[in-house]
Amino acid sequence: MSSYYLRYLHGEHDAVWAELRAMGPVPDDLAEDAAAVADETMIRVSQHVARIAAALPELGWVAADRLVPAHQPPTESDDDLVDALVDKIGGLPLALEACLRRVGEVWFAGDCEALELTYHHQPAPKGDPPGPEYPDPLCLGNAYYLAYELEQCADPGHFTFALAPDESLKANVAGRTHDVELPAATADPVLKHVAGRPGITLVEYLRESIAWGGFPGFSFAPELAPAALITLQTKPDF
């Protein structure tokens, strides 16, 4: 039987990830093969993130925090830190571990008239997410953010990692966070508190985000998506 990794390379992206999720905790004899799938997936995610991050300023995008770049790829020190975190926490889901190693910090929240982003500008969104007034710009914390949260946690053997702000916080409205429960030995963790997407996993969320140019909130009302978004959208290859 062909390995999951080889099947993934031959284009069975959805099927491979569905089978890996169905395992629950990944068996030891499949861990290396499954980790290779996660690594390849996040290499591709990182390439898409870099492409979108490079294009955003051309659309007039300004970060919500001018000190935070749209994309900060991981460094060798990030990789060393992830090794230490895996040991300290007792295991990370393979997709999350690969994301920390390959994607790094992402921060697409900000202001952009062409993309109808209004972090600092008016009008503020009305109602609750999901919906086009909450574009849900892609944001991902990196290994250093996970390390910081771990330091604040009384029980590193069981805690919730706030991987990203939720749709409301990304629009500068009171909200909560998109969370991953740790530790976990699964392949692809559920990303909790994603508006309108109960049970969505990290890889599924990243697919939806990349398909919508980094702003998956528009998927709830495609007819209201700004015209400029088409320049960022692509069919995910992971």
Side-chain angles (χ1 to χ4, degrees), residues 101-172:
R101 294 185 189 278
R102 294 295 190 175
V103 182
E105 185 176 23
V106 182
W107 189 261
F108 290 172
D111 297 291
C112 181
E113 183 176 352
L115 295 174
E116 300 177 9
L117 305 183
T118 58
Y119 189 88
H120 292 106
H121 300 164
Q122 295 296 324
K126 298 177 182 178
D128 298 316
E133 291 198 351
Y134 292 89
D136 191 21
L138 180 61
C139 294
L140 298 169
N142 61 9
Y144 291 93
Y145 189 58
L146 174 54
Y148 171 79
E149 287 210 341
L150 187 61
E151 288 179 0
Q152 313 305 309
C153 178
D155 179 12
H158 180 74
F159 83 107
T160 300
F161 173 39
L163 178 62
D166 75 349
E167 300 82 359
S168 294
L169 288 177
K170 292 174 185 179
N172 203 17

Side-chain angles (χ1 to χ4, degrees), residues 20-131:
L20 291 177
R21 288 186 204 103
M23 291 179 184
V26 179
D28 290 344
D29 61 330
L30 295 176
E32 184 176 354
D33 190 22
V37 173
D39 192 60
E40 179 64 27
T41 296
M42 294 305 166
I43 288 173
R44 299 181 185 196
V45 171
S46 184
Q47 292 169 345
H48 286 294
V49 166
R51 170 185 60 80
I52 296 170
L56 285 176
E58 299 176 8
L59 295 173
W61 173 87
V62 178
D65 184 340
R66 293 175 183 269
L67 298 179
V68 179
H71 183 209
Q72 185 65 49
T75 64
E76 187 174 330
S77 62
D78 289 66
D79 209 43
D80 293 339
L81 180 56
V82 174
D83 288 338
L85 289 169
V86 170
D87 291 339
K88 188 171 183 179
I89 293 171
L92 296 175
L94 295 178
L96 176 60
E97 180 179 345
C99 187
L100 296 174
R101 294 185 189 278
R102 294 295 190 175
V103 182
E105 185 176 23
V106 182
W107 189 261
F108 290 172
D111 297 291
C112 181
E113 183 176 352
L115 295 174
E116 300 177 9
L117 305 183
T118 58
Y119 189 88
H120 292 106
H121 300 164
Q122 295 296 324
K126 298 177 182 178
D128 298 316

Side-chain angles (χ1 to χ4, degrees), residues 205-220:
Y205 176 77
L206 290 172
R207 281 183 181 149
E208 191 70 13
S209 185
I210 296 304
W212 284 90
F215 302 90
F218 287 117
S219 68
F220 292 99

Side-chain angles (χ1 to χ4, degrees), residues 4 14-27 30 186-188 201:
Y4 287 111
D14 291 343
V16 165
W17 272 112
E19 291 175 34
L20 291 177
R21 288 186 204 103
M23 291 179 184
V26 179
L30 295 176
T186 55
D188 187 19
T201 65

Side-chain angles (χ1 to χ4, degrees), residues 164-191:
D166 75 349
E167 300 82 359
S168 294
L169 288 177
K170 292 174 185 179
N172 203 17
V173 176
R176 54 196 309 180
T177 51
H178 290 166
D179 300 331
V180 176
E181 295 290 338
L182 299 176
T186 55
D188 187 19
V190 170
L191 195 56

